Amino acid sequence: MPATVRSGLCSSTRPAPCGSRTATVRLTAGDATRHPEFEIARWAAANLTADERVAAAVYTSGKHCPMCSAAHAWVGLGRIVYVASAEQISGWRAEAGAAPSAVAVLPISAVAPGLPVEGPVDELAPEVRALIERAARSD
């Protein structure tokens, strides 16, 4: 069964999929580039003005990977808030017996300097850990 992650985009000036955008993890389509954070960046580029994008906040279960960090910066989105760090997720995947990621863990600031970033959100981490472990076991 494919795992799902919740990602959301909040904009104060235009209806957006705030807190309700659910994307099926990339494994379902066999395309490792189909991250929900990347999809949000594409949606924002097509549906929000530059001013709306910079004022928007993106909420994710996991810290952006380098590809998603770049997409976020290229379209000019604002703040990122994530629940679990890439290091946490890598550790949970390893504990569950999953193969390591094909991509190096890089800080968002190394890829997109100047982006405001908040996380991890420790009180929500157990929920994300359970999701990551379930997905890793189904790999």
Side-chain angles (χ1 to χ4, degrees):
M1 179 172 177
T4 59
V5 295
R6 289 206 178 275
S7 295
L9 173 76
C10 293
S11 170
S12 62
T13 59
R14 180 176 293 186
C18 182
S20 63
R21 182 175 174 92
T22 302
T24 302
V25 172
R26 60 201 172 274
L27 300 176
T28 60
D31 181 350
T33 66
R34 297 296 304 257
H35 296 197
E37 299 86 355
F38 197 92
E39 298 296 322
I40 286 173
R42 294 185 73 199
W43 180 91
N47 291 283
L48 299 176
T49 67
D51 288 341
E52 290 170 327
R53 290 192 302 270
V54 78
V58 176
Y59 296 87
T60 66
S61 54
K63 188 174 180 179
H64 283 31
C65 73
M67 175 184 68
C68 294
S69 297
H72 189 106
W74 280 117
V75 302
L77 282 165
R79 180 172 61 117
I80 297 171
V81 181
Y82 65 90
V83 173
S85 71
E87 294 81 9
Q88 286 173 303
I89 292 171
S90 293
W92 298 334
R93 287 180 46 77
E95 288 174 15
S101 174
V103 177
V105 173
L106 295 174
I108 294 170
S109 62
V111 178
L115 273 177
V117 179
E118 296 175 34
V121 180
D122 294 333
E123 59 269 19
L124 298 175
E127 187 177 337
V128 172
R129 181 179 185 158
L131 177 70
I132 295 298
E133 289 173 341
R134 186 176 64 216
R137 284 191 295 273
S138 68
D139 284 353

